[in-house]
Amino acid sequence: KMLERMALRRFIMCAVAMNLAVRKSEGLQLLRIRKAGQKIRNVASSIHRPIRNKLWPNTLSDRTIDAHLPPGPLGCPFVGFDPRQSSPSHGPGLLFDKLSRRLGHPRVFKFFSKGRAIAVVSGYDNCLAVLSKEFEEVTPQLVPFTSKVVGTSSLRYSCRSDEHAALRKLVGTGLQPSRVRKYVPALQEMAVRILDSSLECRTEVEMEGVCNMFTLDVACGLIIGLDFEDEQMSEVRRQVQRWMSGILSGQSDQWKDAREYLVEKIEAKLDTLEADGPDDSTISAMLFATNDDGRQLSREEIIDNTLLLILAGSETSSGTLTNCMLLLGLHQDSWRRIVSEQEELEQKYGSNLTREVLDKSAYLDSVVRESLRLKPIVGGSMRGIKSTIVVDGKQIPAGWGVAYDRSLTHLLDPVTRNEDDAHMDILRGFRPERWHDNEMRPSKDFIPFGVGPRYCLGADLAMVEMKAFIAQMGRKVPEFDLVYPSPSEDFRLRQNTFIPVPEEGVVIRPRRVNLRVKNGTMNASV
């Protein structure tokens, strides 16, 4: 038995030794194969990189950075993809959405367009990682056409950190919370005047036009400070619309006369302010603002930044208000809650809107935020990469373009996301109640006003403006039917716009309307 045990032990030891020898041999062989493969790849790369750089310029990786390029297709050599792709079913921003879905929704991906690679980033942390490097590794992408339309002395074209901070502080004096608080009564008066004229003697109302008129009046009345009693006010609105439509269409001959008209109006307002002293307008605050070092804005800076505020605020707020009316028409229970909330606040605080009343309009606030979540501004301003950066483990080499995407950021928010993307559907995903539940409330990936040093300067005014309009709408139209688009039909989205809205607008049929009569009281009509 002892001899058997000794023989068995020797057999096991031999088997182990043979196994180790085989493994060592296989390891050496595998190492040789790997080395040979690396040599082949190096040779192929030395041939591939120059060819690739000829066919798809500015798409190569930075070999000094230990990180891979983001995934993504390059498309047709020399041409690549058109980032302005859109469709009637999706609206603008189609390419980013399509490529993201094809790649499995990576937080950073790339494509090639017109001579260089472009990286698209989503998610608050990734967007902040890019935009916080603005003025250093990341530079603003200056578009010649936009510089002609808006002007080169605006915040949009400040390229140095110290210059941008100083300019932002001076321009922002007219948009501080204390000043926005004073705007609320004027916002209510504008909403009342426009709603009364739009609802009177009409069985159906196209709400996009109404919302657009309201935001234009905000731009003309509060930002520029024009007098609404002026007989030329309707002409001012028309010229603002012509100017903005020229920007959206990209037609270089449609906006010039309108811009000249607006500049004349702004200069005339500045002359009046210099002669008579300050008033409550945003432009007045800019004119008399002084930095700690004594710097003031030049006339050119005031004009260009006034135009930028009108452009950035009017179209986007109008689009969001239009979508709010669409969503509330599709979800009548939400509209009834807004009406009920406003009735309670009116009984408690009276008919005058104040900032405090708007702050207590909790459900109204959640409706506006939910609309901004579902239909944010499409895309983000393009930036250029000055020196290679790494975002989410992927390198974005120098010379590339980079864009951040609000829609993808909202789509991929881990708190709100459903696998079937129902959370972004206007019928299944509209849930204002999520904003009152800490477990359902969107995370920091809710970025409708951007992130970083160029965070929307007028965000507070935009929220107050939109809430004031819907609050007044709730008080004037307790009941309405949505005529177009109906829940049962597929409707086309406008493709040439900042925020996707129905191509034919949003039409409602009021069932009960409260109109203001000349003596200031309210009368009900059915």
Side-chain angles (χ1 to χ4, degrees):
K1 289 182 178 179
M2 186 173 65
L3 290 174
E4 288 178 356
R5 284 197 296 271
M6 290 176 62
L8 181 60
R9 190 180 299 117
R10 287 173 64 89
F11 175 76
I12 293 173
M13 290 175 64
C14 288
V16 171
M18 289 177 64
N19 187 41
L20 290 174
V22 170
R23 287 189 177 184
K24 185 176 180 180
S25 175
E26 288 178 347
L28 291 172
Q29 186 177 4
L30 183 61
L31 183 61
R32 293 192 192 101
I33 292 172
R34 286 177 176 172
K35 287 182 177 180
Q38 186 60 49
K39 288 180 180 179
I40 293 171
R41 281 192 294 273
N42 290 339
V43 172
S45 178
S46 65
I47 299 173
H48 173 256
R49 285 177 68 89
I51 293 176
R52 173 172 169 170
N53 201 40
K54 290 287 185 182
L55 299 177
W56 296 279
N58 304 312
T59 60
L60 301 181
S61 62
D62 184 343
R63 288 181 163 180
T64 65
I65 302 297
D66 186 21
H68 292 293
L69 291 175
L74 298 178
C76 179
F78 309 113
V79 179
F81 297 90
D82 182 2
R84 298 170 299 176
Q85 284 185 28
S86 60
S87 72
S89 60
H90 184 275
L94 176 63
L95 179 66
F96 290 7
D97 182 77
K98 185 167 60 175
L99 291 181
S100 181
R101 292 180 188 279
R102 182 194 304 179
L103 297 168
H105 288 311
R107 287 293 193 168
V108 185
F109 62 89
K110 72 176 186 298
F111 66 94
F112 176 73
S113 177
K114 297 180 181 178
R116 68 170 177 174
I118 296 173
V120 180
V121 300
S122 63
Y124 173 84
D125 290 331
N126 293 334
C127 294
L128 185 61
V130 171
L131 299 178
S132 62
K133 295 180 174 65
E134 187 117 20
F135 313 115
E136 298 171 1
E137 294 98 329
V138 179
T139 59
Q141 185 70 24
L142 305 182
V143 182
F145 177 72
T146 309
S147 68
K148 294 177 183 178
V149 174
V150 177
T152 57
S153 298
S154 71
L155 278 165
R156 176 69 180 82
Y157 287 88
S158 55
C159 298
R160 294 201 328 266
S161 178
D162 56 344
E163 171 196 345
H164 181 266
L167 190 58
R168 184 179 175 91
K169 184 176 181 181
L170 289 168
V171 175
T173 55
L175 298 168
Q176 293 175 347
S178 58
R179 186 171 287 266
V180 172
R181 178 185 296 274
K182 297 178 182 178
Y183 287 162
V184 176
L187 289 169
Q188 182 182 23
E189 181 60 31
M190 292 176 190
V192 169
R193 183 179 62 253
I194 289 171
L195 287 171
D196 281 350
S197 63
S198 301
L199 295 169
E200 191 174 13
C201 302
R202 294 187 187 179
T203 56
E204 293 184 357
V205 182
E206 200 287 287
M207 288 305 301
E208 184 184 15
V210 176
C211 296
N212 189 42
M213 190 181 301
F214 172 70
T215 57
L216 286 176
D217 278 10
V218 171
C220 297
L222 297 186
I223 295 178
I224 303 179
L226 299 181
D227 186 359
F228 284 98
E229 300 301 324
D230 189 343
E231 295 179 356
Q232 296 182 340
M233 196 62 203
S234 60
E235 177 62 15
V236 175
R237 293 193 198 101
R238 190 181 75 83
Q239 293 292 349
V240 172
Q241 286 180 310
R242 284 187 66 232
W243 175 66
M244 289 195 296
S245 62
I247 297 171
L248 291 170
S249 66
Q251 296 176 4
S252 59
D253 60 345
Q254 189 171 352
W255 54 270
K256 292 182 181 179
D257 292 341
R259 188 185 192 278
E260 289 179 6
Y261 178 92
L262 293 175
V263 170
E264 288 178 4
K265 285 293 181 183
I266 294 171
E267 288 183 328
K269 177 65 180 181
L270 292 173
D271 291 339
T272 301
L273 290 170
E274 287 175 344
D276 300 341
D279 60 19
D280 291 332
S281 65
T282 303
I283 198 174
S284 173
M286 285 195 280
L287 176 63
F288 295 103
T290 304
N291 263 354
D292 296 336
D293 59 1
R295 185 200 166 184
Q296 290 183 296
L297 293 171
S298 67
R299 275 214 166 200
E300 186 177 6
E301 288 174 329
I302 294 173
I303 291 169
D304 288 358
N305 282 289
T306 299
L307 293 174
L308 179 64
L309 290 175
I310 294 172
L311 172 64
S314 299
E315 183 73 16
T316 53
S317 295
S318 174
T320 300
L321 283 173
T322 301
N323 284 329
C324 281
M325 296 311 302
L326 168 64
L327 292 165
L328 291 167
L330 294 171
H331 302 271
Q332 287 287 324
D333 54 334
S334 294
W335 180 245
R336 285 188 287 271
R337 287 191 61 174
I338 284 182
V339 172
S340 175
E341 181 179 69
Q342 290 306 307
E343 287 176 348
E344 292 177 7
L345 290 170
E346 193 168 13
Q347 289 175 3
K348 187 173 182 180
Y349 298 101
S351 61
N352 292 331
L353 284 179
T354 62
R355 182 63 187 265
E356 289 73 21
V357 171
L358 292 179
D359 288 342
K360 292 180 183 296
S361 303
Y363 192 77
L364 168 57
D365 180 80
S366 67
V367 166
V368 175
R369 291 180 183 277
E370 187 71 347
S371 179
L372 287 166
R373 185 188 70 81
L374 288 168
K375 297 293 181 184
I377 297 174
V378 174
S381 299
M382 188 72 67
R383 266 74 169 173
I385 301 298
K386 190 175 180 180
S387 57
T388 303
I389 62 174
V390 176
V391 179
D392 201 29
K394 303 297 182 182
Q395 65 162 282
I396 306 177
W400 282 36
V402 61
Y404 73 100
D405 193 285
R406 296 175 177 87
S407 296
L408 289 176
T409 299
H410 292 181
L411 172 70
L412 302 177
D413 185 342
V415 175
T416 60
R417 191 179 183 195
N418 298 121
E419 289 300 322
D420 61 354
D421 295 342
H423 63 297
M424 298 298 289
D425 183 81
I426 61 173
L427 291 176
R428 297 179 294 163
F430 181 70
R431 297 182 63 185
E433 297 79 13
R434 74 172 78 243
W435 292 92
H436 305 288
D437 186 331
N438 289 333
E439 294 184 359
M440 296 173 57
R441 186 183 180 91
S443 70
K444 59 185 178 181
D445 280 346
F446 176 68
I447 57 168
F449 297 108
V451 294
R454 294 188 190 270
Y455 178 84
C456 178
L457 194 59
D460 189 39
L461 175 59
M463 288 297 294
V464 170
E465 170 187 357
M466 291 186 288
K467 288 193 286 186
F469 179 86
I470 297 176
Q472 200 58 46
M473 182 73 183
R475 297 178 180 197
K476 283 193 167 293
V477 188
E479 300 174 14
F480 73 88
D481 296 317
L482 182 64
V483 178
Y484 177 85
S486 69
S488 59
E489 68 179 310
D490 294 329
F491 58 89
R492 297 167 62 92
L493 292 171
R494 189 167 300 134
Q495 300 176 57
N496 192 21
T497 184
F498 295 124
I499 291 182
V501 296
E503 190 173 57
E504 302 299 327
V506 174
V507 181
I508 68 168
R509 182 182 296 113
R511 278 187 271 143
R512 188 157 58 91
V513 179
N514 297 319
L515 294 177
R516 183 174 61 177
V517 295
K518 292 184 179 180
N519 63 8
T521 61
M522 309 291 287
N523 71 335
S525 62
V526 179

